[in-house]
Amino acid sequence: MPLLSVRMRASLGGKHVSGAERIVSRDRLEETVSELIRRPREFDEMVITVETLMEVETLDRPLPVRSHTFTTVAEAREFALGTLVESGVPERLAREAIRLLEKGPSPSGGVMRGAVVMDVETGRRLEPDRERGVRTVRIDWEDREKIREEMVKRGFTDRTVDALLIATKNVICGAVAEICWSDDPDYTTGYVASPKLGYVRISPLKERGDPLGGRVYFIKGGDLERFLECVERRAFIVRGSPSFSS
Ligand code: COA
Ligand code: AMP
């Protein structure tokens, strides 16, 4: 039976407020749509997209997960910087990525609708549109409920359940490293991810109340077309659970 990509996005007053996606078989479509439409607390427009996927690749495992908690944002960012450098990002560019997320990475100094893509050798920004950025889509857990239960039991949030998918797909698509913290003023945990170190959850990467955030993907510049095709178009489901360490 072919799998479906089911995506929901909602906005309020023209501002994106909620987005989520699932990859499910046809017989789970109704329950999936029912779940997704309950997610946004407030909205004045909602779009549900259902699309048949011609090909879905299976990954045995997501990136392994580690967590680090610090007393101050400065300490956490210094650790994130070191993690990027250890992953193969030159220190100057690692600092530049953190500075971009701190000041708001869009040309107007606000948040973007997707991620910055930075050439890990030159620091050049490669995303075709600097307000939009690049979005990683078409990835889900084969058994989301089981993984969610395992992760929530260990104290992880729903956000981590989803962000781990994005980070895993980016690595499979060729990212050298990624840094992310949310633009949600109430969510201060972020992460650095890379093939070398896995998914490194870091807290707190910003102060509570700060409305800025975003994602920076580091890639080798020559791989841009293949990377974009992979993160935006190829579909993956992840079968196994992550391994955890601290
Ligand atoms: N942020 C801001 N605007 C968004 C958006 C996002 N994440 N996703 C969609 N939009 C808006 C934009 O205006 C976009 O137009 P653009 O392409 O010019 O930016 C428009 O909706 C259409 O976007 P499209 O990419 O066609 O949407 P889609 O139907 O493929 O759905 C989502 C994409 C919503 C599923 C995806 O963005 C998403 O949110 N995935 C889940 C990510 C997640 O799990 N996050 C939590 C953990 S970090
Ligand atoms: P969030 O963790 O959902 O708050 O997202 C943090 C930032 O990541 C947003 O401000 C966007 O710039 C970017 N972003 C959101 N969704 C995606 C996605 N699917 N792929 C890549 N970047 C995203």
Side-chain angles (χ1 to χ4, degrees), residues 1-7 21-33 35-36 49-53 56 139-144 235-237:
M1 199 191 300
L3 291 172
L4 304 174
S5 164
V6 186
R7 304 193 294 278
E21 70 166 320
R22 302 284 182 264
I23 294 177
V24 294
S25 52
R26 174 71 183 82
D27 59 338
R28 297 198 47 217
L29 178 59
E30 280 189 43
E31 61 175 290
T32 303
V33 172
E35 183 227 324
L36 292 182
T49 305
V50 181
E51 168 191 281
T52 302
L53 296 168
V56 180
I139 178 141
D140 198 1
W141 301 103
E142 187 175 64
D143 187 345
R144 174 174 279 270
F236 291 92
I237 48 172

PDB file of all heavy atoms in Angstrom, residues 1-7 21-33 35-36 49-53 56 139-144 235-237:
ATOM      1  N   MET A   1       0.853  -1.194   0.000  1.00  0.00           N
ATOM      2  CA  MET A   1       0.000   0.000   0.000  1.00  0.00           C
ATOM      3  C   MET A   1       0.894   1.251   0.000  1.00  0.00           C
ATOM      4  O   MET A   1       1.808   1.327   0.822  1.00  0.00           O
ATOM      5  CB  MET A   1      -0.868  -0.007   1.271  1.00  0.00           C
ATOM      6  CG  MET A   1      -2.082   0.912   1.156  1.00  0.00           C
ATOM      7  SD  MET A   1      -2.939   1.181   2.729  1.00  0.00           S
ATOM      8  CE  MET A   1      -3.427  -0.465   3.199  1.00  0.00           C
ATOM      9  N   PRO A   2       0.693   2.206  -0.931  1.00  0.00           N
ATOM     10  CA  PRO A   2       1.576   3.380  -0.935  1.00  0.00           C
ATOM     11  C   PRO A   2       1.379   4.223   0.328  1.00  0.00           C
ATOM     12  O   PRO A   2       0.285   4.234   0.901  1.00  0.00           O
ATOM     13  CB  PRO A   2       1.120   4.166  -2.174  1.00  0.00           C
ATOM     14  CG  PRO A   2      -0.226   3.673  -2.507  1.00  0.00           C
ATOM     15  CD  PRO A   2      -0.364   2.297  -1.955  1.00  0.00           C
ATOM     16  N   LEU A   3       2.443   4.905   0.741  1.00  0.00           N
ATOM     17  CA  LEU A   3       2.342   5.752   1.931  1.00  0.00           C
ATOM     18  C   LEU A   3       1.950   7.171   1.529  1.00  0.00           C
ATOM     19  O   LEU A   3       2.195   7.610   0.405  1.00  0.00           O
ATOM     20  CB  LEU A   3       3.672   5.763   2.673  1.00  0.00           C
ATOM     21  CG  LEU A   3       4.050   4.435   3.338  1.00  0.00           C
ATOM     22  CD1 LEU A   3       5.476   4.494   3.870  1.00  0.00           C
ATOM     23  CD2 LEU A   3       3.068   4.104   4.462  1.00  0.00           C
ATOM     24  N   LEU A   4       1.337   7.877   2.484  1.00  0.00           N
ATOM     25  CA  LEU A   4       0.894   9.251   2.235  1.00  0.00           C
ATOM     26  C   LEU A   4       1.710  10.208   3.091  1.00  0.00           C
ATOM     27  O   LEU A   4       2.002   9.916   4.253  1.00  0.00           O
ATOM     28  CB  LEU A   4      -0.588   9.411   2.613  1.00  0.00           C
ATOM     29  CG  LEU A   4      -1.584   8.475   1.935  1.00  0.00           C
ATOM     30  CD1 LEU A   4      -2.983   8.679   2.534  1.00  0.00           C
ATOM     31  CD2 LEU A   4      -1.617   8.755   0.427  1.00  0.00           C
ATOM     32  N   SER A   5       2.030  11.380   2.525  1.00  0.00           N
ATOM     33  CA  SER A   5       2.573  12.478   3.326  1.00  0.00           C
ATOM     34  C   SER A   5       1.383  13.360   3.702  1.00  0.00           C
ATOM     35  O   SER A   5       0.657  13.833   2.822  1.00  0.00           O
ATOM     36  CB  SER A   5       3.583  13.285   2.492  1.00  0.00           C
ATOM     37  OG  SER A   5       3.815  14.529   3.116  1.00  0.00           O
ATOM     38  N   VAL A   6       1.169  13.530   5.004  1.00  0.00           N
ATOM     39  CA  VAL A   6       0.046  14.352   5.477  1.00  0.00           C
ATOM     40  C   VAL A   6       0.656  15.542   6.217  1.00  0.00           C
ATOM     41  O   VAL A   6       1.376  15.362   7.204  1.00  0.00           O
ATOM     42  CB  VAL A   6      -0.871  13.553   6.434  1.00  0.00           C
ATOM     43  CG1 VAL A   6      -2.098  14.384   6.800  1.00  0.00           C
ATOM     44  CG2 VAL A   6      -1.285  12.232   5.804  1.00  0.00           C
ATOM     45  N   ARG A   7       0.408  16.758   5.708  1.00  0.00           N
ATOM     46  CA  ARG A   7       1.043  17.941   6.297  1.00  0.00           C
ATOM     47  C   ARG A   7      -0.027  18.964   6.695  1.00  0.00           C
ATOM     48  O   ARG A   7      -1.025  19.128   5.995  1.00  0.00           O
ATOM     49  CB  ARG A   7       2.029  18.572   5.313  1.00  0.00           C
ATOM     50  CG  ARG A   7       3.082  17.580   4.828  1.00  0.00           C
ATOM     51  CD  ARG A   7       4.232  18.251   4.120  1.00  0.00           C
ATOM     52  NE  ARG A   7       3.866  18.877   2.867  1.00  0.00           N
ATOM     53  CZ  ARG A   7       3.742  18.232   1.702  1.00  0.00           C
ATOM     54  NH1 ARG A   7       3.956  16.918   1.642  1.00  0.00           N
ATOM     55  NH2 ARG A   7       3.410  18.883   0.608  1.00  0.00           N
ATOM     56  N   GLU A  21       3.876  17.255  10.324  1.00  0.00           N
ATOM     57  CA  GLU A  21       3.682  16.319   9.216  1.00  0.00           C
ATOM     58  C   GLU A  21       3.764  14.887   9.694  1.00  0.00           C
ATOM     59  O   GLU A  21       4.367  14.584  10.720  1.00  0.00           O
ATOM     60  CB  GLU A  21       4.723  16.566   8.128  1.00  0.00           C
ATOM     61  CG  GLU A  21       6.124  16.165   8.550  1.00  0.00           C
ATOM     62  CD  GLU A  21       7.069  16.084   7.374  1.00  0.00           C
ATOM     63  OE1 GLU A  21       6.659  15.607   6.303  1.00  0.00           O
ATOM     64  OE2 GLU A  21       8.213  16.513   7.535  1.00  0.00           O
ATOM     65  N   ARG A  22       3.149  14.003   8.946  1.00  0.00           N
ATOM     66  CA  ARG A  22       3.174  12.573   9.241  1.00  0.00           C
ATOM     67  C   ARG A  22       3.316  11.820   7.921  1.00  0.00           C
ATOM     68  O   ARG A  22       2.855  12.303   6.871  1.00  0.00           O
ATOM     69  CB  ARG A  22       1.844  12.110   9.889  1.00  0.00           C
ATOM     70  CG  ARG A  22       1.477  12.836  11.176  1.00  0.00           C
ATOM     71  CD  ARG A  22       2.334  12.333  12.343  1.00  0.00           C
ATOM     72  NE  ARG A  22       1.958  12.992  13.586  1.00  0.00           N
ATOM     73  CZ  ARG A  22       2.578  14.070  14.078  1.00  0.00           C
ATOM     74  NH1 ARG A  22       3.615  14.609  13.443  1.00  0.00           N
ATOM     75  NH2 ARG A  22       2.188  14.607  15.213  1.00  0.00           N
ATOM     76  N   ILE A  23       3.904  10.623   7.994  1.00  0.00           N
ATOM     77  CA  ILE A  23       3.887   9.720   6.838  1.00  0.00           C
ATOM     78  C   ILE A  23       3.154   8.463   7.292  1.00  0.00           C
ATOM     79  O   ILE A  23       3.606   7.782   8.236  1.00  0.00           O
ATOM     80  CB  ILE A  23       5.315   9.408   6.350  1.00  0.00           C
ATOM     81  CG1 ILE A  23       5.952  10.704   5.808  1.00  0.00           C
ATOM     82  CG2 ILE A  23       5.292   8.324   5.272  1.00  0.00           C
ATOM     83  CD1 ILE A  23       7.397  10.554   5.347  1.00  0.00           C
ATOM     84  N   VAL A  24       2.014   8.189   6.682  1.00  0.00           N
ATOM     85  CA  VAL A  24       1.158   7.091   7.166  1.00  0.00           C
ATOM     86  C   VAL A  24       0.550   6.319   5.995  1.00  0.00           C
ATOM     87  O   VAL A  24       0.498   6.803   4.859  1.00  0.00           O
ATOM     88  CB  VAL A  24      -0.003   7.628   8.042  1.00  0.00           C
ATOM     89  CG1 VAL A  24       0.523   8.238   9.334  1.00  0.00           C
ATOM     90  CG2 VAL A  24      -0.868   8.632   7.287  1.00  0.00           C
ATOM     91  N   SER A  25       0.045   5.129   6.314  1.00  0.00           N
ATOM     92  CA  SER A  25      -0.667   4.359   5.285  1.00  0.00           C
ATOM     93  C   SER A  25      -2.095   4.907   5.158  1.00  0.00           C
ATOM     94  O   SER A  25      -2.596   5.598   6.052  1.00  0.00           O
ATOM     95  CB  SER A  25      -0.679   2.883   5.658  1.00  0.00           C
ATOM     96  OG  SER A  25      -1.156   2.748   6.976  1.00  0.00           O
ATOM     97  N   ARG A  26      -2.738   4.578   4.053  1.00  0.00           N
ATOM     98  CA  ARG A  26      -4.060   5.112   3.713  1.00  0.00           C
ATOM     99  C   ARG A  26      -5.091   4.863   4.825  1.00  0.00           C
ATOM    100  O   ARG A  26      -5.920   5.723   5.117  1.00  0.00           O
ATOM    101  CB  ARG A  26      -4.514   4.452   2.392  1.00  0.00           C
ATOM    102  CG  ARG A  26      -5.920   4.756   1.930  1.00  0.00           C
ATOM    103  CD  ARG A  26      -6.034   6.196   1.443  1.00  0.00           C
ATOM    104  NE  ARG A  26      -7.396   6.527   1.066  1.00  0.00           N
ATOM    105  CZ  ARG A  26      -8.349   6.878   1.927  1.00  0.00           C
ATOM    106  NH1 ARG A  26      -8.114   6.928   3.224  1.00  0.00           N
ATOM    107  NH2 ARG A  26      -9.555   7.189   1.484  1.00  0.00           N
ATOM    108  N   ASP A  27      -4.977   3.686   5.474  1.00  0.00           N
ATOM    109  CA  ASP A  27      -5.979   3.361   6.496  1.00  0.00           C
ATOM    110  C   ASP A  27      -5.828   4.202   7.769  1.00  0.00           C
ATOM    111  O   ASP A  27      -6.687   4.154   8.641  1.00  0.00           O
ATOM    112  CB  ASP A  27      -5.961   1.853   6.823  1.00  0.00           C
ATOM    113  CG  ASP A  27      -4.593   1.407   7.319  1.00  0.00           C
ATOM    114  OD1 ASP A  27      -3.593   2.088   7.025  1.00  0.00           O
ATOM    115  OD2 ASP A  27      -4.529   0.374   8.015  1.00  0.00           O
ATOM    116  N   ARG A  28      -4.725   4.980   7.874  1.00  0.00           N
ATOM    117  CA  ARG A  28      -4.559   5.837   9.068  1.00  0.00           C
ATOM    118  C   ARG A  28      -4.802   7.309   8.740  1.00  0.00           C
ATOM    119  O   ARG A  28      -4.562   8.187   9.571  1.00  0.00           O
ATOM    120  CB  ARG A  28      -3.169   5.635   9.659  1.00  0.00           C
ATOM    121  CG  ARG A  28      -2.980   4.186  10.151  1.00  0.00           C
ATOM    122  CD  ARG A  28      -1.843   4.061  11.102  1.00  0.00           C
ATOM    123  NE  ARG A  28      -1.869   5.097  12.115  1.00  0.00           N
ATOM    124  CZ  ARG A  28      -0.783   5.678  12.601  1.00  0.00           C
ATOM    125  NH1 ARG A  28       0.405   5.328  12.170  1.00  0.00           N
ATOM    126  NH2 ARG A  28      -0.870   6.608  13.531  1.00  0.00           N
ATOM    127  N   LEU A  29      -5.303   7.575   7.528  1.00  0.00           N
ATOM    128  CA  LEU A  29      -5.457   8.970   7.112  1.00  0.00           C
ATOM    129  C   LEU A  29      -6.423   9.752   8.006  1.00  0.00           C
ATOM    130  O   LEU A  29      -6.101  10.846   8.472  1.00  0.00           O
ATOM    131  CB  LEU A  29      -5.912   9.030   5.640  1.00  0.00           C
ATOM    132  CG  LEU A  29      -6.159  10.435   5.085  1.00  0.00           C
ATOM    133  CD1 LEU A  29      -4.910  11.302   5.171  1.00  0.00           C
ATOM    134  CD2 LEU A  29      -6.635  10.353   3.626  1.00  0.00           C
ATOM    135  N   GLU A  30      -7.589   9.164   8.270  1.00  0.00           N
ATOM    136  CA  GLU A  30      -8.595   9.917   9.033  1.00  0.00           C
ATOM    137  C   GLU A  30      -8.121  10.263  10.438  1.00  0.00           C
ATOM    138  O   GLU A  30      -8.220  11.411  10.871  1.00  0.00           O
ATOM    139  CB  GLU A  30      -9.885   9.102   9.125  1.00  0.00           C
ATOM    140  CG  GLU A  30     -10.688   9.231   7.857  1.00  0.00           C
ATOM    141  CD  GLU A  30     -12.064   8.604   8.003  1.00  0.00           C
ATOM    142  OE1 GLU A  30     -12.718   8.792   9.035  1.00  0.00           O
ATOM    143  OE2 GLU A  30     -12.438   7.901   7.056  1.00  0.00           O
ATOM    144  N   GLU A  31      -7.562   9.257  11.130  1.00  0.00           N
ATOM    145  CA  GLU A  31      -7.111   9.537  12.508  1.00  0.00           C
ATOM    146  C   GLU A  31      -5.945  10.536  12.495  1.00  0.00           C
ATOM    147  O   GLU A  31      -5.814  11.372  13.400  1.00  0.00           O
ATOM    148  CB  GLU A  31      -6.712   8.248  13.250  1.00  0.00           C
ATOM    149  CG  GLU A  31      -5.584   7.513  12.592  1.00  0.00           C
ATOM    150  CD  GLU A  31      -5.080   6.296  13.371  1.00  0.00           C
ATOM    151  OE1 GLU A  31      -4.467   6.483  14.425  1.00  0.00           O
ATOM    152  OE2 GLU A  31      -5.298   5.174  12.880  1.00  0.00           O
ATOM    153  N   THR A  32      -5.130  10.481  11.440  1.00  0.00           N
ATOM    154  CA  THR A  32      -3.978  11.393  11.364  1.00  0.00           C
ATOM    155  C   THR A  32      -4.456  12.837  11.158  1.00  0.00           C
ATOM    156  O   THR A  32      -3.991  13.760  11.837  1.00  0.00           O
ATOM    157  CB  THR A  32      -3.045  10.968  10.200  1.00  0.00           C
ATOM    158  OG1 THR A  32      -2.658   9.620  10.430  1.00  0.00           O
ATOM    159  CG2 THR A  32      -1.826  11.838  10.105  1.00  0.00           C
ATOM    160  N   VAL A  33      -5.385  13.017  10.235  1.00  0.00           N
ATOM    161  CA  VAL A  33      -5.910  14.375  10.004  1.00  0.00           C
ATOM    162  C   VAL A  33      -6.592  14.882  11.281  1.00  0.00           C
ATOM    163  O   VAL A  33      -6.393  16.029  11.689  1.00  0.00           O
ATOM    164  CB  VAL A  33      -6.887  14.400   8.789  1.00  0.00           C
ATOM    165  CG1 VAL A  33      -7.576  15.749   8.685  1.00  0.00           C
ATOM    166  CG2 VAL A  33      -6.135  14.080   7.503  1.00  0.00           C
ATOM    167  N   GLU A  35      -5.882  14.155  14.304  1.00  0.00           N
ATOM    168  CA  GLU A  35      -4.862  14.553  15.278  1.00  0.00           C
ATOM    169  C   GLU A  35      -4.244  15.903  14.887  1.00  0.00           C
ATOM    170  O   GLU A  35      -4.103  16.798  15.710  1.00  0.00           O
ATOM    171  CB  GLU A  35      -3.757  13.478  15.341  1.00  0.00           C
ATOM    172  CG  GLU A  35      -2.692  13.755  16.384  1.00  0.00           C
ATOM    173  CD  GLU A  35      -1.266  13.589  15.885  1.00  0.00           C
ATOM    174  OE1 GLU A  35      -1.005  12.689  15.056  1.00  0.00           O
ATOM    175  OE2 GLU A  35      -0.410  14.378  16.319  1.00  0.00           O
ATOM    176  N   LEU A  36      -3.902  16.050  13.619  1.00  0.00           N
ATOM    177  CA  LEU A  36      -3.186  17.270  13.194  1.00  0.00           C
ATOM    178  C   LEU A  36      -4.046  18.522  13.323  1.00  0.00           C
ATOM    179  O   LEU A  36      -3.550  19.579  13.710  1.00  0.00           O
ATOM    180  CB  LEU A  36      -2.683  17.117  11.747  1.00  0.00           C
ATOM    181  CG  LEU A  36      -1.573  16.078  11.540  1.00  0.00           C
ATOM    182  CD1 LEU A  36      -1.142  16.057  10.078  1.00  0.00           C
ATOM    183  CD2 LEU A  36      -0.364  16.377  12.423  1.00  0.00           C
ATOM    184  N   THR A  49      -2.399  19.156   3.572  1.00  0.00           N
ATOM    185  CA  THR A  49      -1.978  18.606   2.280  1.00  0.00           C
ATOM    186  C   THR A  49      -1.803  17.093   2.420  1.00  0.00           C
ATOM    187  O   THR A  49      -1.147  16.632   3.366  1.00  0.00           O
ATOM    188  CB  THR A  49      -0.630  19.235   1.851  1.00  0.00           C
ATOM    189  OG1 THR A  49      -0.791  20.654   1.855  1.00  0.00           O
ATOM    190  CG2 THR A  49      -0.208  18.770   0.465  1.00  0.00           C
ATOM    191  N   VAL A  50      -2.394  16.353   1.509  1.00  0.00           N
ATOM    192  CA  VAL A  50      -2.230  14.898   1.508  1.00  0.00           C
ATOM    193  C   VAL A  50      -1.671  14.508   0.144  1.00  0.00           C
ATOM    194  O   VAL A  50      -2.240  14.886  -0.892  1.00  0.00           O
ATOM    195  CB  VAL A  50      -3.585  14.182   1.729  1.00  0.00           C
ATOM    196  CG1 VAL A  50      -3.376  12.659   1.737  1.00  0.00           C
ATOM    197  CG2 VAL A  50      -4.231  14.646   3.027  1.00  0.00           C
ATOM    198  N   GLU A  51      -0.562  13.789   0.167  1.00  0.00           N
ATOM    199  CA  GLU A  51       0.136  13.522  -1.094  1.00  0.00           C
ATOM    200  C   GLU A  51       0.618  12.068  -1.086  1.00  0.00           C
ATOM    201  O   GLU A  51       1.141  11.604  -0.077  1.00  0.00           O
ATOM    202  CB  GLU A  51       1.303  14.512  -1.113  1.00  0.00           C
ATOM    203  CG  GLU A  51       2.368  14.344  -2.109  1.00  0.00           C
ATOM    204  CD  GLU A  51       3.538  15.274  -1.731  1.00  0.00           C
ATOM    205  OE1 GLU A  51       3.464  16.475  -1.998  1.00  0.00           O
ATOM    206  OE2 GLU A  51       4.512  14.780  -1.138  1.00  0.00           O
ATOM    207  N   THR A  52       0.421  11.370  -2.167  1.00  0.00           N
ATOM    208  CA  THR A  52       0.930   9.989  -2.263  1.00  0.00           C
ATOM    209  C   THR A  52       2.428  10.031  -2.532  1.00  0.00           C
ATOM    210  O   THR A  52       2.886  10.782  -3.400  1.00  0.00           O
ATOM    211  CB  THR A  52       0.234   9.239  -3.416  1.00  0.00           C
ATOM    212  OG1 THR A  52      -1.163   9.253  -3.167  1.00  0.00           O
ATOM    213  CG2 THR A  52       0.718   7.796  -3.525  1.00  0.00           C
ATOM    214  N   LEU A  53       3.178   9.248  -1.756  1.00  0.00           N
ATOM    215  CA  LEU A  53       4.626   9.216  -1.940  1.00  0.00           C
ATOM    216  C   LEU A  53       4.986   8.043  -2.847  1.00  0.00           C
ATOM    217  O   LEU A  53       4.623   6.901  -2.557  1.00  0.00           O
ATOM    218  CB  LEU A  53       5.313   9.075  -0.580  1.00  0.00           C
ATOM    219  CG  LEU A  53       5.099  10.262   0.373  1.00  0.00           C
ATOM    220  CD1 LEU A  53       5.563   9.895   1.785  1.00  0.00           C
ATOM    221  CD2 LEU A  53       5.823  11.505  -0.129  1.00  0.00           C
ATOM    222  N   VAL A  56       9.496   5.726  -0.617  1.00  0.00           N
ATOM    223  CA  VAL A  56       9.845   6.078   0.765  1.00  0.00           C
ATOM    224  C   VAL A  56      11.018   5.205   1.191  1.00  0.00           C
ATOM    225  O   VAL A  56      10.950   3.976   1.116  1.00  0.00           O
ATOM    226  CB  VAL A  56       8.655   5.860   1.724  1.00  0.00           C
ATOM    227  CG1 VAL A  56       9.050   6.244   3.150  1.00  0.00           C
ATOM    228  CG2 VAL A  56       7.440   6.675   1.279  1.00  0.00           C
ATOM    229  N   ILE A 139       9.609  13.424   6.444  1.00  0.00           N
ATOM    230  CA  ILE A 139      10.272  12.438   7.308  1.00  0.00           C
ATOM    231  C   ILE A 139       9.380  12.181   8.510  1.00  0.00           C
ATOM    232  O   ILE A 139       8.746  13.109   9.028  1.00  0.00           O
ATOM    233  CB  ILE A 139      11.687  12.887   7.744  1.00  0.00           C
ATOM    234  CG1 ILE A 139      12.319  11.842   8.681  1.00  0.00           C
ATOM    235  CG2 ILE A 139      11.703  14.261   8.391  1.00  0.00           C
ATOM    236  CD1 ILE A 139      13.758  11.587   8.503  1.00  0.00           C
ATOM    237  N   ASP A 140       9.304  10.907   8.927  1.00  0.00           N
ATOM    238  CA  ASP A 140       8.496  10.573  10.106  1.00  0.00           C
ATOM    239  C   ASP A 140       9.044   9.280  10.720  1.00  0.00           C
ATOM    240  O   ASP A 140       9.883   8.597  10.130  1.00  0.00           O
ATOM    241  CB  ASP A 140       7.015  10.378   9.701  1.00  0.00           C
ATOM    242  CG  ASP A 140       6.065  10.456  10.893  1.00  0.00           C
ATOM    243  OD1 ASP A 140       6.522  10.684  12.040  1.00  0.00           O
ATOM    244  OD2 ASP A 140       4.844  10.290  10.671  1.00  0.00           O
ATOM    245  N   TRP A 141       8.539   8.960  11.910  1.00  0.00           N
ATOM    246  CA  TRP A 141       8.837   7.684  12.561  1.00  0.00           C
ATOM    247  C   TRP A 141       7.917   6.620  11.994  1.00  0.00           C
ATOM    248  O   TRP A 141       6.741   6.893  11.732  1.00  0.00           O
ATOM    249  CB  TRP A 141       8.586   7.791  14.067  1.00  0.00           C
ATOM    250  CG  TRP A 141       9.400   8.837  14.748  1.00  0.00           C
ATOM    251  CD1 TRP A 141       8.969  10.069  15.157  1.00  0.00           C
ATOM    252  CD2 TRP A 141      10.783   8.766  15.106  1.00  0.00           C
ATOM    253  NE1 TRP A 141      10.000  10.769  15.748  1.00  0.00           N
ATOM    254  CE2 TRP A 141      11.125   9.992  15.730  1.00  0.00           C
ATOM    255  CE3 TRP A 141      11.765   7.791  14.961  1.00  0.00           C
ATOM    256  CZ2 TRP A 141      12.404  10.256  16.204  1.00  0.00           C
ATOM    257  CZ3 TRP A 141      13.042   8.067  15.440  1.00  0.00           C
ATOM    258  CH2 TRP A 141      13.349   9.282  16.056  1.00  0.00           C
ATOM    259  N   GLU A 142       8.445   5.395  11.866  1.00  0.00           N
ATOM    260  CA  GLU A 142       7.574   4.301  11.429  1.00  0.00           C
ATOM    261  C   GLU A 142       6.508   4.036  12.497  1.00  0.00           C
ATOM    262  O   GLU A 142       5.336   3.845  12.193  1.00  0.00           O
ATOM    263  CB  GLU A 142       8.415   3.037  11.197  1.00  0.00           C
ATOM    264  CG  GLU A 142       7.610   1.916  10.584  1.00  0.00           C
ATOM    265  CD  GLU A 142       8.504   0.732  10.254  1.00  0.00           C
ATOM    266  OE1 GLU A 142       9.076   0.126  11.187  1.00  0.00           O
ATOM    267  OE2 GLU A 142       8.645   0.430   9.066  1.00  0.00           O
ATOM    268  N   ASP A 143       6.950   4.035  13.788  1.00  0.00           N
ATOM    269  CA  ASP A 143       5.998   3.853  14.883  1.00  0.00           C
ATOM    270  C   ASP A 143       6.141   5.043  15.838  1.00  0.00           C
ATOM    271  O   ASP A 143       6.832   4.962  16.864  1.00  0.00           O
ATOM    272  CB  ASP A 143       6.279   2.519  15.600  1.00  0.00           C
ATOM    273  CG  ASP A 143       5.209   2.196  16.630  1.00  0.00           C
ATOM    274  OD1 ASP A 143       4.424   3.106  16.999  1.00  0.00           O
ATOM    275  OD2 ASP A 143       5.164   1.045  17.066  1.00  0.00           O
ATOM    276  N   ARG A 144       5.501   6.157  15.484  1.00  0.00           N
ATOM    277  CA  ARG A 144       5.651   7.409  16.227  1.00  0.00           C
ATOM    278  C   ARG A 144       5.235   7.256  17.688  1.00  0.00           C
ATOM    279  O   ARG A 144       5.913   7.744  18.590  1.00  0.00           O
ATOM    280  CB  ARG A 144       4.831   8.508  15.539  1.00  0.00           C
ATOM    281  CG  ARG A 144       4.783   9.826  16.288  1.00  0.00           C
ATOM    282  CD  ARG A 144       4.079  10.883  15.474  1.00  0.00           C
ATOM    283  NE  ARG A 144       4.961  11.471  14.486  1.00  0.00           N
ATOM    284  CZ  ARG A 144       5.716  12.547  14.707  1.00  0.00           C
ATOM    285  NH1 ARG A 144       5.693  13.148  15.872  1.00  0.00           N
ATOM    286  NH2 ARG A 144       6.493  13.021  13.753  1.00  0.00           N
ATOM    287  N   ALA A 235      11.636  11.175   0.619  1.00  0.00           N
ATOM    288  CA  ALA A 235      10.829  10.808   1.793  1.00  0.00           C
ATOM    289  C   ALA A 235      11.501   9.665   2.553  1.00  0.00           C
ATOM    290  O   ALA A 235      12.007   8.711   1.942  1.00  0.00           O
ATOM    291  CB  ALA A 235       9.439  10.389   1.349  1.00  0.00           C
ATOM    292  N   PHE A 236      11.493   9.790   3.894  1.00  0.00           N
ATOM    293  CA  PHE A 236      12.124   8.774   4.743  1.00  0.00           C
ATOM    294  C   PHE A 236      11.234   8.433   5.929  1.00  0.00           C
ATOM    295  O   PHE A 236      10.590   9.321   6.486  1.00  0.00           O
ATOM    296  CB  PHE A 236      13.433   9.307   5.337  1.00  0.00           C
ATOM    297  CG  PHE A 236      14.542   9.515   4.348  1.00  0.00           C
ATOM    298  CD1 PHE A 236      14.712  10.750   3.732  1.00  0.00           C
ATOM    299  CD2 PHE A 236      15.422   8.486   4.039  1.00  0.00           C
ATOM    300  CE1 PHE A 236      15.744  10.959   2.827  1.00  0.00           C
ATOM    301  CE2 PHE A 236      16.460   8.682   3.134  1.00  0.00           C
ATOM    302  CZ  PHE A 236      16.616   9.917   2.522  1.00  0.00           C
ATOM    303  N   ILE A 237      11.245   7.161   6.324  1.00  0.00           N
ATOM    304  CA  ILE A 237      10.727   6.822   7.648  1.00  0.00           C
ATOM    305  C   ILE A 237      11.856   6.190   8.460  1.00  0.00           C
ATOM    306  O   ILE A 237      12.721   5.506   7.913  1.00  0.00           O
ATOM    307  CB  ILE A 237       9.505   5.873   7.612  1.00  0.00           C
ATOM    308  CG1 ILE A 237       9.736   4.695   6.706  1.00  0.00           C
ATOM    309  CG2 ILE A 237       8.219   6.607   7.274  1.00  0.00           C
ATOM    310  CD1 ILE A 237       8.641   3.667   6.815  1.00  0.00           C
TER     311      ILE A 237
END
